[in-house]
Amino acid sequence: MSQDKHRSKTVRIVNVTFQKSACQGGECVGTVPASSTILQAAIAAGVDLHSACGGKGTCGKCRVILPPEDRTEPLPEEKKFLSAEQIDAGVVLACKRTVESDRQIILIEQKDVFDRKTRLEDDNRICELAPLVHKHAVHVSVPSTSDQRSDWERLAAGLPASAASLRFNRGIAAKLPRILRDASFQVTAVTAGNDLLAVESGNTLDRIFGLAIDIGTTTVVAYLMNLNNGKIIAREAITNPQQGAGADVISRINYASDHPDGLVQLQIQVVEGLNQIIANMCRQKGIVLEEIYQAVVVGNTTMSHLFLGIDPTYLGPAPFIPGFRQAVTVKASELGLRILSDAPVTVLPIVAGYVGSDTVGVMLSGQIDQLKGIHLFIDIGTNGEMVLAGKGRILTCSTAAGPAFEGAGIKFGMRAADGAIERVKITDNVELGVIGKENEPVRGICGSGLIDAISEMHKAGIINSQGRIIDHASASKELSPALRDRILNDNGIREFVLAWKESAAGENITITQMDIRGLQLAKGAVLAGVRILMIHLGVQPDDLEMIHLAGAFGNYIAKESALGIGLLPQVPVEKIQSIGNAAGNGAQMALLSIVEMSRADRLARDAEHIELSTEELFQDKYMESLALGQRY
């Protein structure tokens, strides 16, 4: 046998530099083995590069620009998704292009409007303050020959009885003698239950901060809070840095499972993203990172696993078993979260494989256990989580709504960013509401705009209740000429033009027959899940006291349009209310009160999860729920 067979192959490494103003220093570098895709390099670099399909080449969203010297003939997939003008400009699909040597890549930047999610609640305190973390100003007795107690004992003796039984902390004890003497024995002790988190020189009672964090599949939001008064000091959001691994949780589960370092990579990405926005908030408000003494985190079950670095593999296939369900508390240093190293970081409890701590946050914020009558809570994103409460019971379920509500999987779909259509009104012509400054050029359509468009198209008779766009030749004479002209047939696929070619995209922005079908599948899954919950509780739409819509999508969706497409049970519009980022509000409540933290545990235990994949009626209800229009 030749020695060559025993030699390990040398892996050639290349550096891919991504140029964009959002990167620190103007660029980010991904180091990957040669023959990796540009998308894999983007993931390695922590670059926010949207890929709805997780690199399968089926969504056409991971677009980047090659420098002129590196441009070659377009690939078949690029011809499918890109216009001739885009191809001429050097636009390619990052998941289909490989790199064999060091390469420069130009990113197509998208200005997301994160305040749509961070500004959904006010600064009023939402629960009675009873935080876990406390500060105690301590005058420690000076040692003497007659008082030879240890420094640790004398510090504990100066604390209130409720905080005196401290667990020994080697790291703090190592520095305690010097801290006490440098501070002339006047210090502030920071405690969390029986844990000593820090000892600070002097009196720092007025500076005590915590974080409430909502890790969404699409957006990560952090709230910096004053634990003395319960006020939000600052808030910031970023696109979830894991986007390159796919727009939905299944894609990210597969990425973590299929790549040797996939789980570590995704965990680092979300934590580093959080570190970035935490540092920004602290810099703006003059707060030292070590003055953040606690964090409470919510997210769907997959996001919670990835944040903690726990293998999510078995969430994917039935029976969808999570690695944990209870509330989990670890030290910030274990996760790489750059706040006080000993700060407790708590992920709220999980109900089931696809009903996570974010839903528990919604229940907590909505005070679901204290409501009278029958109440339905819906949080719609790439997954749709529903909670139905009444008759002394709390029922939950989740449906794989897919990414359509987030604008992914739609031909011109995009996140809620500048240039996204968010409102559509159809009369004799089409009126558009576009995110951004006045006269912002149209770049695509986000979820709320998609629902508006399809509802208005159905109401105008452009599509029928089955979602089919009418043929141009047989279009009703009741349609204006302007509307009839917007009905196109592209190689047998019908589409309706929302914005003509002069848009920023350089091509007509349309709603295609496939887009309508994608929305029908998503909204049908949500409504079918709701109907199953109502069957289990024995109630009808007329019995509903209120439908509560959570999250940014629920806040910006037009309620009439949601009813118009049959996304929700048919109730009077005044029985539908948006409740803002309820998951984030729940995290805030648990941060501010150990009573609410305990209540979150109780709500998660009391919730009865309905697994829709085992429901005999689900498929029938799903098929019935696909139709558009005002039917239950």
Side-chain angles (χ1 to χ4, degrees), residues 218 261 575:
T218 302
D261 59 348
K575 282 193 171 188

Side-chain angles (χ1 to χ4, degrees), residues 558-584:
K559 300 175 181 63
E560 295 83 359
S561 294
L563 290 170
I565 66 167
L567 172 63
L568 305 174
Q570 296 304 308
V571 298
V573 71
E574 59 269 18
K575 282 193 171 188
I576 303 172
Q577 70 169 358
S578 299
I579 56 173
N581 183 15

Side-chain angles (χ1 to χ4, degrees), residues 351-424:
V351 175
Y354 286 93
V355 178
S357 56
D358 52 351
T359 303
V360 173
V362 171
M363 291 192 285
L364 191 62
S365 174
Q367 300 181 310
I368 199 168
D369 53 341
Q370 299 176 29
L371 297 175
K372 295 181 179 180
I374 311 297
H375 290 259
L376 174 64
F377 288 76
I378 304 179
D379 192 353
I380 300 174
T382 53
N383 282 326
E385 292 93 15
M386 288 78 74
V387 183
L388 185 64
K391 300 183 178 181
R393 301 171 68 190
I394 300 173
L395 305 182
T396 70
C397 74
S398 174
T399 62
F405 292 127
E406 303 283 355
I410 303 301
K411 183 175 181 180
F412 291 100
M414 60 184 290
R415 299 193 295 261
D418 285 353
I421 297 169
E422 65 170 342
R423 287 283 175 261
V424 178

Side-chain angles (χ1 to χ4, degrees), residues 238-250:
I238 56 168
T239 298
N240 190 317
Q242 301 165 342
Q243 285 284 319
D248 59 274
V249 295
I250 295 298

Side-chain angles (χ1 to χ4, degrees), residues 30-56:
T31 301
V32 292
S35 300
S36 298
T37 65
I38 295 173
L39 178 60
Q40 289 170 330
I43 294 172
V47 168
D48 173 25
L49 185 56
H50 189 42
S51 173
C53 66
K56 298 182 180 67

